[in-house]
Amino acid sequence: MKRVLIELKDIKKQYNNRVIIKDLDLNIYEGEFLTLLGSSGCGKTTILRMISGMEDVTSGSIFMNGKDITSLEPMKREINTIFQNYALFSHMSIEKNIGFGLKMKKVDKDEIKKEVKKMLSLIKLEGYENRKPSQLSGGEQQRVAIARALINNPKVLLLDEPLSALDKKLRKEMEIELKMLQQKLGITFIYVTHDQEEALTMSDRIIILKNGKIEQIDTPQNIYKYPKSKYVADFIGDSNIFDGYVKSYTKNKCIIKVDKVGEFEIENKNYEENDKVTIMIRPENFRIAKKGLEVYKKEFIYNGSTAKLLCKTKDNFDIIVSINPNDFQEELEDVLYLEWDKEDIVVINEKVV
């Protein structure tokens, strides 16, 4: 059983009369990669800052290893933070940047040199000791920021959108490096991002936040495959969301009627006639067929290894379909038919009020 390292209990954060975080309860486990994901202003960075001690809580408690650290100053928490801009000292060498925290703790110079050497090996920057941050690439600067945080041997590393300044290719490379580093060290990472692909790639668990509240907390696979709300379904990946109602039902199945689209068969879960139900089908779960749901081709979007068809029903309801780009032909008929497997229909909520 996983051990709880950090517990947030009944946390509330308020600025003047504006409530940012309300009634937040959260357990963070030892050695996990946890990501706080959400749109701008949802409260994810505020949660990170409260855990670090850089932001006071309005009410509630934060525990670490069972000890109340709510009022403990940041320097006394075994937590380090990596910021979006890395906050490296431009006038210092890489060696001095990495060893700065140990110097502040008055660690012996020889010991600092020894530990810095270990960190440079860990981040694969041996021989860079005497360079300045301005002489490094963005990815190299990020590695230095990580080493400077890790050299203090924290129990938790907080990362506030550390990849946002990098170009897409480098960002993808650093996602893998970060995850491998976290697994190697076994340190708890708490990561903040608004990028869903980052979250899906790196996380053990993802927290989807909306207006300071947790919409869903789960593994990346479950977040994607089984969203528990329309917000989560719409926020993570491309999705086709249909609001419908129960047209008819039997003991084992029911037919959901969706205006402007058609009918979908799902498993019966104690539905009654006219119950409102929201369902979702991911774009990759649609297939072009010889019969089925009639749609009209609007646009073809090519992304190299993937491609999407933007379609609409005859009543102008938009539907996204993922296809193999090699299968697409410009002469593809303007009128298409879509089919799907019943098992690929996800019921987001049982009854929509």
Side-chain angles (χ1 to χ4, degrees), residues 94-151:
I94 300 310
E95 181 179 33
K96 289 182 178 179
N97 260 285
I98 294 174
F100 182 78
L102 296 184
K103 182 181 179 182
M104 292 296 99
K105 293 179 179 179
K106 303 190 184 304
V107 175
D108 179 76
K109 287 184 179 180
D110 290 338
E111 183 65 20
I112 292 176
K113 201 170 189 71
K114 177 182 172 184
E115 292 302 314
V116 169
K117 188 175 180 180
K118 285 183 185 177
M119 284 295 124
L120 285 168
S121 176
L122 182 68
I123 62 172
K124 301 175 184 177
L125 287 179
E126 300 99 322
Y128 284 59
E129 294 90 335
N130 298 318
R131 296 193 188 188
K132 297 287 179 66
S134 61
Q135 296 174 293
L136 303 184
S137 68
E140 289 166 344
Q141 288 181 33
Q142 196 227 36
R143 292 184 199 175
V144 173
I146 292 169
R148 187 177 63 179
L150 293 177
I151 202 169

Side-chain angles (χ1 to χ4, degrees), residues 180-291:
M180 291 176 64
L181 184 62
Q182 187 268 336
Q183 290 177 332
K184 181 177 181 179
L185 297 171
I187 294 174
T188 299
F189 277 27
I190 306 175
Y191 192 93
V192 161
T193 185
H194 63 272
D195 188 311
Q196 53 183 266
E197 288 187 21
E198 275 185 19
L200 291 170
T201 299
M202 294 189 288
S203 312
D204 296 317
R205 289 193 301 159
I206 298 173
I207 297 173
I208 307 291
L209 289 163
K210 179 185 178 186
N211 298 329
K213 290 188 175 183
I214 295 175
E215 281 281 306
Q216 186 171 346
I217 177 168
D218 215 325
T219 63
Q221 294 85 353
N222 285 342
I223 289 277
Y224 184 80
K225 290 183 178 180
Y226 310 112
K228 293 183 178 178
S229 71
K230 284 179 69 173
Y231 179 81
V232 174
D234 191 47
F235 190 80
I236 293 288
D238 291 322
S239 57
N240 296 289
I241 299 172
F242 307 99
D243 291 325
Y245 62 91
V246 177
K247 178 182 176 183
S248 62
Y249 65 94
T250 65
K251 181 179 178 181
N252 298 317
K253 69 178 182 180
C254 63
I255 303 300
I256 305 299
K257 171 67 175 174
V258 178
D259 291 339
K260 298 184 178 181
V261 180
E263 297 179 354
F264 299 84
E265 179 185 325
I266 64 170
E267 180 185 355
N268 192 356
K269 296 184 178 179
N270 299 316
Y271 293 113
E272 296 179 0
E273 195 169 332
N274 294 321
D275 279 346
K276 293 181 180 179
V277 180
T278 295
I279 59 176
M280 177 197 75
I281 301 179
R282 291 290 185 189
E284 62 270 22
N285 291 326
F286 278 121
R287 299 184 300 273
I288 297 175
K290 293 183 178 180
K291 62 179 182 178

Side-chain angles (χ1 to χ4, degrees), residues 333-348:
E333 296 292 335
D334 288 336
V335 179
L336 304 171
Y337 296 93
L338 303 179
E339 65 177 11
W340 57 91
D341 295 327
K342 183 172 64 175
E343 294 75 19
D344 291 325
I345 299 175
V346 178
V347 179
I348 295 175

Side-chain angles (χ1 to χ4, degrees), residues 27 52 55 57 62 91 150 158 186 224 234 262 279 284 316 347:
N27 286 339
S52 72
E55 194 82 56
V57 303
I62 300 175
H91 64 287
L150 293 177
L158 309 178
Y224 184 80
D234 191 47
I279 59 176
E284 62 270 22
N316 289 318
V347 179

